[in-house]
Amino acid sequence: MSKPTIYSIAQRCGVSAATVSRAFNRPELVSEPVREQIMAAARELGYQPSSAARGLVTGRAETIGLIVSDITNPFFPLLVRAVQRTAERMGSALMLVDAEESAAAEVAHVARLRSRVDGVIVASPRSSSAALREAARGLPCVLLNRPLRDLSSVICDNTSALFDAGDHLYKHGHRSFALLAGPSASWAAARRSQAIRRWARGRGVELTELGPFRATFKGGRQAGAALLETAATAAFAFDDLTACGVLAELAGRGVAVPGERSVVGCDDVLLAKTVTPSLTTVTAPMDDLGETAVQVLTRQIEAPGGAPEHVRLPGVFVARDSTGPRSGS
Amino acid sequence: MSKPTIYSIAQRCGVSAATVSRAFNRPELVSEPVREQIMAAARELGYQPSSAARGLVTGRAETIGLIVSDITNPFFPLLVRAVQRTAERMGSALMLVDAEESAAAEVAHVARLRSRVDGVIVASPRSSSAALREAARGLPCVLLNRPLRDLSSVICDNTSALFDAGDHLYKHGHRSFALLAGPSASWAAARRSQAIRRWARGRGVELTELGPFRATFKGGRQAGAALLETAATAAFAFDDLTACGVLAELAGRGVAVPGERSVVGCDDVLLAKTVTPSLTTVTAPMDDLGETAVQVLTRQIEAPGGAPEHVRLPGVFVARDSTGPRSGS
DNA sequence: CGGGGGAATGAAAGCGATTGCATGGATTCT
DNA sequence: AGAATCCATGCAATCGCTTTCATTCCCCCG
């Protein structure tokens, strides 16, 4: 027997297909006994409404797309989880694509998803603003961690948390700092560097800028090596992955952390807690970020052409074991 | 103007909708000039075929589902990438759901995906065999890392690599081992434990079994603590995450690795290379696993009701810095 | 020069749902 | 009692595409 449809059920219950459809979508329009009979038949036949058919008539795919620049970056899994969970709560499925770090792939994927989703979330896009704008034309779209005037965005702003991080180090007696800058193409990297510079200026402490380094473990090792050539006793790494590289490099050279140098990361990926010493870092509110992104997107979908929304969520400083009092002196 | 359809294009080009459809799907059936004209018009109008409409008539969603038991487990990102990449090459999109470690959620998600995908891959399922079988009834399905007679499966078999790991330790002079068992509900855990037992028996060395421990960082710390109460100089952790926990616990207690104890993990997640010391482990062929799973699934989709396939891919032992010669003695 | 065959195209029937409108019966109001 | 409502349901159009079958036109061969 082929897949059950509303017609199989209708026939079996001696009603019309419309009634079956209503029993599912507007149950209050169907009398109780009929509705129950229909539900029973549906369960018995293992009926599942065809989302293609429904999508065709409603014009909604009940699906959203999520494009991540690099799924292997430990930053993303928690985000993916939050997005998926929220989407599901809103009755939508999640289509995930991994751009594998290619800007070109990003926009190509947006194009490919167009016909299958109601809207997309692009996380930490690497593409140019123009390319993004063009790719999203006529498609509800929310950017994550990348502001852009004409498109909605949800960003995590770590400025104040980085100030806290700086103060934390300052209180521990540190007076000479290093800024291990992230990739120059990254909006987040620019923003973080800027925050740290401002903080250092405000505090009147010495700040040595190094980099940019790639946002990878290897890049972190290079950053660590560079750090050792300075007199800085504390360093701000671009993100946790970089920070882990720094830690590894320092450990490899027998430099104690936090004994001789303190290191702070950013993002608070899973890695941060598991590495030794555990990382002092800035926690990004992943759940909120993902949830908010989906909500904003949903609004865009329901009111196409509406004004773009911009949401800013702050990160939170968290002290762990990679920072401590300034060494000996 | 509303979304362009094949009709808009047909009208614009003075041909019928059927011709437009053919121009896309069976270009050899359309004369060259007409085809080009259609393509030009399509590009100009920004036409994107509605996959809902196509899906409705072809009965194919051109989408596959991937259910992972826990996306935050570092084992998965590479797998997701491999699956997505392969699916895309086959012209399919990927719907991802995260069961958040709940067995009940797994089967519920299979049910939810049913109507939107052509088939599903369930990675490292936690559900009971019966529940899985029932959930997959009538839906092409491939299990990853979980064999089950009536369903197709792709598994990573680490038996021989674990033998290599044992031999590697043996050559370094170790004679007393600990087995830090993984969750008892996990097929992989059972299989790995069994392999290690067999190896130890074959070698005639002492093997202390500890656990089971949860497959998390915390579980690893407990395992590390337990390890220290034994005289074993080398330990097999269930997976890399556990191994990282062990490392952290040992480091926290000032026990040198590999100086005093050697530790081997399993899976070779990203973490394994980044942790200090880097983990000696067993590399799972993620790309192959993902690719094979999609291929097997595709075959199931094309030949529904065909016999289930079972593929077994071996892991590969890789020595890094968490293992070394037996301590002093 | 007539007919067979092939290539290019069109007409139309669905695919499985949703939904506006029409209908008929029961209920209520005056 | 007749009219006005209202509720539950059915009819039929529609969403955008694929695909079968029929049609037309042209070329080639006997």
Side-chain angles (χ1 to χ4, degrees), chain A residues 48-49 51-53 55-56 61-63 70-72 77-78 80-81 84-85 88 93-98 100 109 111-112 114-116 217 248 251 270-271 273-274 276, chain B residues 48-49 51-53 55-56 61-63 70-72 77-78 80-81 84-85 88 93-98 100 109 111-112 114-116 217 248 251 270-271 273-274 276:
Chain A
Q48 291 281 138
S51 48
L56 181 56
E62 309 280 65
T63 301
D70 174 14
I71 183 87
T72 65
L78 282 172
V80 171
R81 166 173 285 186
Q84 194 249 304
R85 186 193 293 155
E88 185 181 327
L94 208 222
M95 240 165 213
L96 177 79
V97 293
D98 170 24
E100 305 198 17
H109 278 126
R112 205 157 298 136
R114 252 201 145 71
S115 59
R116 338 179 68 125
F217 184 72
L270 271 173
L271 207 56
K273 290 188 210 70
T274 58
T276 308
Chain B
Q48 291 280 138
S51 48
L56 182 54
E62 310 278 67
T63 300
D70 174 15
I71 183 83
T72 65
L78 283 172
V80 171
R81 165 174 285 186
Q84 194 250 304
R85 185 193 293 156
E88 185 181 328
L94 208 222
M95 240 164 214
L96 176 79
V97 293
D98 170 23
E100 305 199 18
H109 278 126
R112 206 157 298 137
R114 255 202 141 73
S115 59
R116 339 177 68 123
F217 183 73
L270 271 174
L271 206 57
K273 289 187 210 72
T274 58
T276 307

Side-chain angles (χ1 to χ4, degrees), chain A residues 177-226:
Chain A
F177 298 81
L179 164 54
L180 312 175
S184 49
S186 156
W187 173 84
R191 179 129 186 127
R192 290 173 194 179
S193 294
Q194 190 193 9
I196 292 160
R197 270 183 224 120
R198 265 177 46 207
W199 172 80
R201 208 174 310 128
R203 274 290 188 192
V205 299
E206 191 185 330
L207 181 69
T208 312
E209 293 201 22
L210 302 171
F213 302 98
R214 291 196 59 202
T216 61
F217 184 72
K218 280 219 175 104
R221 296 198 74 128
Q222 292 162 8

Side-chain angles (χ1 to χ4, degrees), chain A residues 124-168:
Chain A
S124 305
R126 308 264 224 253
S127 309
S128 74
S129 303
L132 285 170
R133 237 185 302 254
E134 169 60 23
R137 182 194 303 295
L139 181 70
C141 177
V142 172
L143 263 28
L144 218 101
N145 268 346
R146 166 87 160 257
L148 197 57
R149 200 161 2 90
D150 3 341
L151 257 38
S152 289
S153 63
V154 175
I155 65 177
C156 177
D157 187 351
N158 298 310
T159 304
S160 99
L162 285 171
F163 276 41
D164 294 344
D167 289 346
H168 162 84

Side-chain angles (χ1 to χ4, degrees), chain B residues 234-249:
Chain B
F236 296 92
F238 162 58
D239 68 3
D240 288 347
L241 199 52
T242 311
C244 285
V246 172
L247 252 37
E249 185 66 22

Side-chain angles (χ1 to χ4, degrees), chain B residues 99 129 162:
Chain B
S129 303
L162 284 171

Side-chain angles (χ1 to χ4, degrees), chain A residues 7 50 76 108 118-119 132 143 162 174 186 220 224 241-242 278 300:
Chain A
Y7 291 97
S50 145
F76 289 113
D118 301 322
L132 285 170
L143 263 28
L162 285 171
H174 296 275
S186 156
L241 200 51
T242 312
S278 61
Q300 295 283 315

Side-chain angles (χ1 to χ4, degrees), chain B residues 275-301:
Chain B
V275 82
T276 307
S278 62
L279 270 178
T280 292
T281 188
V282 172
T283 303
M286 293 295 180
D287 284 357
D288 268 11
L289 283 170
E291 183 170 341
T292 308
V294 174
Q295 285 169 342
V296 170
L297 181 60
T298 304
R299 262 175 249 137
Q300 295 281 315
I301 292 171

Side-chain angles (χ1 to χ4, degrees), chain A:
Chain A
M1 209 165 20
S2 63
K3 276 226 162 76
T5 71
I6 48 169
Y7 291 97
S8 349
I9 299 183
Q11 199 172 3
R12 211 159 191 278
C13 297
V15 299
S16 80
T19 303
V20 177
S21 173
R22 280 191 279 255
F24 286 100
N25 305 305
R26 319 277 312 271
E28 74 278 10
L29 294 185
V30 166
S31 70
E32 173 133 358
V34 174
R35 193 194 326 145
E36 290 191 345
Q37 191 193 358
I38 290 175
M39 291 312 191
R43 207 168 314 123
E44 194 174 330
L45 264 50
Y47 167 75
Q48 291 281 138
S50 145
S51 48
R54 162 188 277 134
L56 181 56
V57 37
T58 62
R60 285 280 170 75
E62 309 280 65
T63 301
I64 69 176
L66 173 60
I67 300 176
V68 300
S69 50
D70 174 14
I71 183 87
T72 65
N73 183 318
F75 174 82
F76 289 113
L78 282 172
L79 180 75
V80 171
R81 166 173 285 186
V83 168
Q84 194 249 304
R85 186 193 293 155
T86 311
E88 185 181 327
R89 229 183 26 231
M90 318 266 264
S92 284
L94 208 222
M95 240 165 213
L96 177 79
V97 293
D98 170 24
E100 305 198 17
E101 305 194 66
S102 149
E106 267 171 26
V107 300
H109 278 126
V110 174
R112 205 157 298 136
L113 283 182
R114 252 201 145 71
S115 59
R116 338 179 68 125
V117 303
D118 301 322
V120 300
I121 296 172
V122 190
S124 305
R126 308 264 224 253
S127 309
S128 74
S129 303
L132 285 170
R133 237 185 302 254
E134 169 60 23
R137 182 194 303 295
L139 181 70
C141 177
V142 172
L143 263 28
L144 218 101
N145 268 346
R146 166 87 160 257
L148 197 57
R149 200 161 2 90
D150 3 341
L151 257 38
S152 289
S153 63
V154 175
I155 65 177
C156 177
D157 187 351
N158 298 310
T159 304
S160 99
L162 285 171
F163 276 41
D164 294 344
D167 289 346
H168 162 84
L169 292 167
Y170 189 90
K171 272 193 221 113
H172 276 322
H174 296 275
R175 291 297 179 271
S176 174
F177 298 81
L179 164 54
L180 312 175
S184 49
S186 156
W187 173 84
R191 179 129 186 127
R192 290 173 194 179
S193 294
Q194 190 193 9
I196 292 160
R197 270 183 224 120
R198 265 177 46 207
W199 172 80
R201 208 174 310 128
R203 274 290 188 192
V205 299
E206 191 185 330
L207 181 69
T208 312
E209 293 201 22
L210 302 171
F213 302 98
R214 291 196 59 202
T216 61
F217 184 72
K218 280 219 175 104
R221 296 198 74 128
Q222 292 162 8
L227 169 62
L228 288 181
E229 303 196 344
T230 74
T233 58
F236 297 92
F238 162 59
D239 68 1
D240 288 347
L241 200 51
T242 312
C244 285
V246 173
L247 253 36
E249 184 67 20
L250 298 198
R253 305 227 199 162
V255 178
V257 173
E260 301 176 57
R261 313 262 179 157
S262 283
V263 177
V264 339
C266 201
D267 288 347
D268 197 13
V269 300
L270 271 173
L271 207 56
K273 290 188 210 70
T274 58
V275 81
T276 308
S278 61
L279 269 178
T280 291
T281 189
V282 172
T283 303
M286 292 296 181
D287 285 356
D288 268 9
L289 283 170
E291 183 169 341
T292 308
V294 174
Q295 285 168 344
V296 171
L297 181 61
T298 304
R299 262 174 250 137
Q300 295 283 315
I301 292 171
E302 277 165 6
E309 293 182 50
H310 298 278
V311 181
R312 201 186 61 80
L313 298 174
V316 177
F317 171 70
V318 36
R320 295 212 185 90
D321 302 336
S322 66
T323 52
R326 185 175 68 148
S327 55
S329 77

